[in-house]
Amino acid sequence: MSRVYNFSAGPSMLPESVLRRAGREIMEYGGSGQSVMEMSHRSKEFEEIFQSAKSLLREVMGIPDNYRILFLQGGASSQFAAVPMNLMTKSGKADYVLSGQFSTKAYQEGCKFGDCKAVASSKEDNFSRIPLLREEEFRPDADYFHICLNNTIYGTVWQELPDTGDVPLAADISSCILSRPLDVSKFGLLYAGAQKNVAPAGLTIVILREDLIGEPQETTPTMLRYDVMAENDSMYNTPPCWSIYLCKLVLEWLRDEIGGLQAMEQRNMKKAGILYDFLDSSKLFRGCARKEDRSLMNVTFVTGDPELDAKFVKESTEAGFVNLKGHRSVGGMRASIYNAMPKEGVEKLVEFMKEFEKRVM
Ligand SMILES: *Cc1c(COP(=O)(O)O)cnc(C)c1O
């Protein structure tokens, strides 16, 4: 067996110790005589897995008691609709910052359900930076203010949160959840698809301040209602059991092997630093995102020559560094270096880039 270094933006690498453990338990979980994949979601065994995944998430992220954790399905993309349907219920207004493709999709979806305003955008710079904010554009009576915290496609991250006053801040944290400590109390709502930093695809995590759970818009499908999901502890219907089980294992890894989110952040800063330092000194490659806004998770870069980019992607793949092709809207390359990417993977990639640079320059 030889495992590649997978730089995919998602689904992405999982920690090897987690995969080994899931492998050991695949035929029989505990003394249950069955796999977690086969288990009733109402069984005692699964109930334990479910509750410990939830309490581990609360512990690792430091989620305050007045926030509910929902384990849903449908991906972050379903939340683009669920957030407005559940929260746009008072003034019927919401403000959005357009910092990339996902935040733009969230905004466009939101427009179906009420009066959404794009209060800032960096589209004219092809989203290579976090937009400049003008607070006079913010609407004080908005039901929420939406941002995408880490822009997966463009490789930018909010270093500082916008000051939205009493307007609840809602954030898509799909590509940065668990990558570093986050002060949950600054947000009204957080959501993330699990497949980047938490678990295999299938699980969508919503962290929601309790007072925001209310009567949703009338036409909201039952499956998208936060009140119904909260009342039923996310078990209104069958939850994504296998993904929740892997989420629990990943959180145990994060807490017990890594040492929590502060230690994770240190690791992630080291890994990203290795790559960014090289990009800043390279004569061939350069980073795409504005320096101040650089993401720790997604590193976008180009040579400036699309043919050379294609050659690099092809040769890196052959060398065991896979999924480095950038998103079509940026071109070039993107190295997604989520939590489970070992430092060694980034070091070896940089070695390969150095060697490539020597060869083609
Ligand atoms: C991947 C991603 C999405 C889409 O997630 P799905 O779970 O596939 O719907 C949305 N937002 C961000 C920031 C992402 O990285």
Side-chain angles (χ1 to χ4, degrees), residues 9 11 40 46 67 81 83 102 123 136 193 214 216 220 222 232 251 286 289 313 328 347 361:
S40 162
F46 186 73
Y67 285 74
V83 171
F102 290 117
K123 187 171 195 291
E136 59 273 26
T220 307
T222 308
N232 291 279
L251 287 164
R286 66 182 162 79
V313 169
R328 59 193 175 279
E347 286 168 344
M361 293 280 287

Side-chain angles (χ1 to χ4, degrees), residues 251-306:
L251 287 164
E252 283 171 351
W253 166 81
L254 236 170
R255 184 190 62 182
D256 303 334
E257 285 183 54
I258 300 293
L261 289 189
Q262 256 151 9
M264 194 72 247
E265 177 178 38
Q266 291 306 314
R267 283 184 177 227
N268 286 332
M269 288 191 350
K270 276 207 191 89
K271 281 189 302 186
I274 293 167
L275 198 42
Y276 284 126
D277 284 349
F278 170 67
L279 289 174
D280 290 341
S281 68
S282 167
K283 291 196 175 59
L284 178 66
F285 299 101
R286 66 182 162 79
C288 302
R290 190 172 85 131
K291 271 193 192 172
E292 295 86 330
D293 300 331
R294 281 172 165 177
S295 165
L296 287 183
M297 296 283 97
N298 312 96
V299 180
T300 50
F301 56 99
V302 292
T303 64
D305 172 356

Side-chain angles (χ1 to χ4, degrees), residues 75 108 114 133 203 222 231 242 265:
Q108 287 165 344
L133 302 180
L203 170 64
T222 308
E231 268 160 37
W242 177 252
E265 177 178 38

